[in-house]
Amino acid sequence: MKQPELSRRISLLQATAINMTDMVGIGPFIVLSLVATTMHGPGFLYAWVAGAVLSFIDAMVWSELGATFPMAGGSYNFLKEGFGPRTGKLMSFLFVWQTMIQAPLVIASAAIGFAHYVGYILPLGFWGTKAVSGGMVLLIIFMLYRKIETIGRISVFLWMGVLVTMAWIIGGGIAHGQFMEPIRHVNDGLQLNYAFATALGMASVKTVYSYLGYYNVCHLGGEITRPEKNIPRSMLISIAGISVLYLCMNISVASVLPQEQIEQSSFVVSEFIEALMGSTAAKIGTVLILWVAFASVFSATLGYSRIPYAAAKDGAFFSVFARLHPTKNFPHISLLVLGGVAFVFSLLFKIKEVIDAILAMRIMIQFIAQAVGLILLSQRNGRSFFKWHMPLYPVPVILAILIWACIFISTGPHMMLAGLTVTVAGIIVYFIKSRLPIQNN
């Protein structure tokens, strides 16, 4: 019996909404204080610029690959095609292997951050916090258990809440009348030396985490209409919009709160709203921040659930993950497994523990490797092979590789070792699997 196929129902608007809701999760609200503490001065804005620049450069790689291979699974297909028949199988397997660990970490990190911010409105205690984070993951799974056209409409609705929240925060700073002050003082005490470069690297680990998600549309490549145009457009529009929103939000907060309070605050945006409009407005603002966090987990879980499905459908992963829901036509087994692991992670970890781990595990196999794969594809097939072409090739690809390598080093030796350990374990499992091949049903 022939398996049903995914349907191309997601438009450019919906794809952009999915990307942006994934990008603007709880991340920017949680890491704002961490970035300010690391940079220790108004120059912390440079870390947000650095995150935007890397995202734009890396999106060029994703755009070429996503437009040329518009299939469910994103990087799984890119790595398989880029590295060729033999090495490509290993690289694509390693990607799925690390996705089964880091994707639940991404989902759990947003859920943990969500529960943390609930604490501004209602002190929860240890077990209350765990109950909220775990309950959020379960609610996300329930909401995603439906047809993709319904998901597209929900994504646009959630996206509108994201834009309203960011507009309120930025508008509050502008109305305060000191909006340009942080920009005027951005270079106060700034010294271009090794210490600054080190601090910028460490801070950029956090800001890059906040930009992640601009490529989510590539994981849904098999469900995007006119993918050769809409995949690149949705990514570049998303990054441009989010970059402006992040910079304006940070400038807005820094124009109202003193640097010391920004660095020490656990609820910096809520305290920013409270300083401008009082405690009631701050609680309303916190509810909107929670909306943003929820929207991000919704979007991220949607994209990640397509990766094990794509690999299993290709015969490279456990065949059970290739099953689509008999009536709603989405990979329900993949969704349930990733959601279940994320639920467990949300009960076990803290937010600071997972941010660096997420990046360290992804950089080598996903970001750097697929950029190398793009170069290999270009050498084998020529530049005319691609459906979308980046400007100034291969400069953006080389820059992406170098910058990602620097970010990887900036995660620190422990996280680098953890990332390498996951990769080595994946290689061992791959060769064991190759002796006992997994067949599709």
Side-chain angles (χ1 to χ4, degrees):
M1 182 178 175
K2 185 179 179 181
Q3 282 284 324
E5 298 290 330
L6 296 173
S7 303
R8 293 194 181 277
R9 300 289 181 86
I10 300 178
S11 65
L12 174 60
L13 174 64
Q14 293 172 342
T16 304
I18 288 170
N19 274 354
M20 292 184 75
T21 51
D22 189 355
M23 293 170 73
V24 188
I26 199 66
F29 305 102
I30 293 290
V31 307
L32 195 156
S33 293
L34 298 176
V35 173
T37 301
T38 303
M39 298 296 291
H40 197 57
F44 76 90
L45 294 174
Y46 285 120
W48 293 94
V49 174
V53 170
L54 174 57
S55 299
F56 269 116
I57 292 172
D58 192 52
M60 300 291 179
V61 176
W62 285 88
S63 292
E64 287 209 357
L65 294 169
T68 307
F69 304 104
M71 299 174 283
S75 294
Y76 170 80
N77 303 299
F78 307 159
L79 292 165
K80 183 180 69 172
E81 297 293 339
F83 284 88
R86 295 186 63 182
T87 308
K89 288 183 179 180
L90 170 61
M91 297 303 294
S92 57
F93 176 84
L94 289 177
F95 169 68
V96 180
W97 168 261
Q98 59 96 14
T99 294
M100 297 302 293
I101 302 172
Q102 66 87 18
L105 279 175
V106 171
I107 299 166
S109 70
I112 295 167
F114 180 95
H116 167 80
Y117 245 85
V118 169
Y120 182 82
I121 302 174
L122 181 67
L124 295 173
F126 178 81
W127 292 111
T129 300
K130 297 299 181 184
V132 170
S133 61
M136 181 186 179
V137 175
L138 296 178
L139 179 58
I140 290 293
I141 297 171
F142 171 76
M143 290 187 63
L144 284 172
Y145 213 82
R146 60 200 72 241
K147 295 180 179 179
I148 191 61
E149 50 265 40
T150 305
I151 298 299
R153 291 193 290 270
I154 293 174
S155 296
V156 173
F157 176 67
L158 292 173
W159 179 42
M160 297 305 295
V162 171
L163 295 181
V164 167
T165 304
M166 299 298 282
W168 187 18
I169 295 169
I170 295 166
I174 294 173
H176 179 64
Q178 303 294 322
F179 187 77
M180 297 304 295
E181 285 302 302
I183 298 177
R184 294 191 184 101
H185 296 283
V186 69
N187 293 322
D188 287 2
L190 186 66
Q191 294 182 343
L192 298 178
N193 52 26
Y194 179 76
F196 172 78
T198 301
L200 181 62
M202 294 174 63
S204 295
V205 171
K206 304 298 188 295
T207 59
V208 167
Y209 165 79
S210 298
Y211 282 100
L212 293 181
Y214 53 85
Y215 45 77
N216 196 8
V217 67
C218 291
H219 300 322
L220 303 166
E223 297 160 273
I224 307 296
T225 61
R226 301 177 65 204
E228 69 284 351
K229 294 183 180 293
N230 287 340
I231 287 179
R233 286 175 180 173
S234 63
M235 281 193 282
L236 297 176
I237 291 171
S238 299
I239 295 170
I242 294 302
S243 298
V244 172
L245 290 176
Y246 280 176
L247 282 171
C248 288
M249 183 182 78
N250 278 268
I251 292 168
S252 188
V253 170
S255 71
V256 174
L257 298 181
Q259 181 75 22
E260 183 178 358
Q261 184 176 353
I262 292 173
E263 294 179 10
Q264 296 177 355
S265 175
S266 297
F267 309 99
V268 63
V269 177
S270 296
E271 292 179 8
F272 157 80
I273 296 173
E274 183 175 4
L276 288 177
M277 308 172 199
S279 60
T280 301
K283 290 179 180 178
I284 295 172
T286 303
V287 170
L288 288 175
I289 292 170
L290 295 175
W291 175 296
V292 171
F294 183 87
S296 175
V297 186
F298 180 88
S299 180
T301 309
L302 170 65
Y304 283 126
S305 67
R306 269 54 177 178
I307 295 171
Y309 161 79
K313 192 169 182 291
D314 199 35
F317 206 59
F318 297 97
S319 59
V320 67
F321 287 91
R323 296 178 185 174
L324 294 179
H325 192 279
T327 59
K328 297 179 173 62
N329 204 42
F330 72 96
H332 61 300
I333 300 297
S334 182
L335 172 65
L336 291 174
V337 171
L338 287 179
V341 177
F343 174 78
V344 174
F345 283 175
S346 71
L347 303 180
L348 294 179
F349 298 121
K350 298 178 181 179
I351 187 70
K352 291 181 180 180
E353 297 171 346
V354 297
I355 292 177
D356 290 352
I358 289 166
L359 276 173
M361 274 194 283
R362 300 173 76 170
I363 286 174
M364 289 187 302
I365 298 301
Q366 188 171 28
F367 297 117
I368 293 179
Q370 74 182 21
V372 172
L374 174 59
I375 295 174
L376 296 176
L377 267 175
S378 298
Q379 291 175 345
R380 288 200 306 269
N381 300 327
R383 295 294 296 153
S384 60
F385 173 76
F386 296 94
K387 301 292 180 65
W388 186 90
H389 296 90
M390 69 177 70
L392 302 176
Y393 175 88
V395 175
V397 187
I398 296 171
L399 284 175
I401 293 171
L402 293 175
I403 297 173
W404 278 122
C406 292
I407 294 291
F408 181 64
I409 294 171
S410 295
T411 62
H414 294 296
M415 291 304 169
M416 290 172 65
L417 180 60
L420 290 169
T421 301
V422 169
T423 301
V424 171
I427 293 172
I428 295 171
V429 172
Y430 173 80
F431 284 108
I432 293 174
K433 185 192 78 68
S434 66
R435 294 179 179 272
L436 301 169
I438 300 167
Q439 300 293 335
N440 276 329
N441 292 334

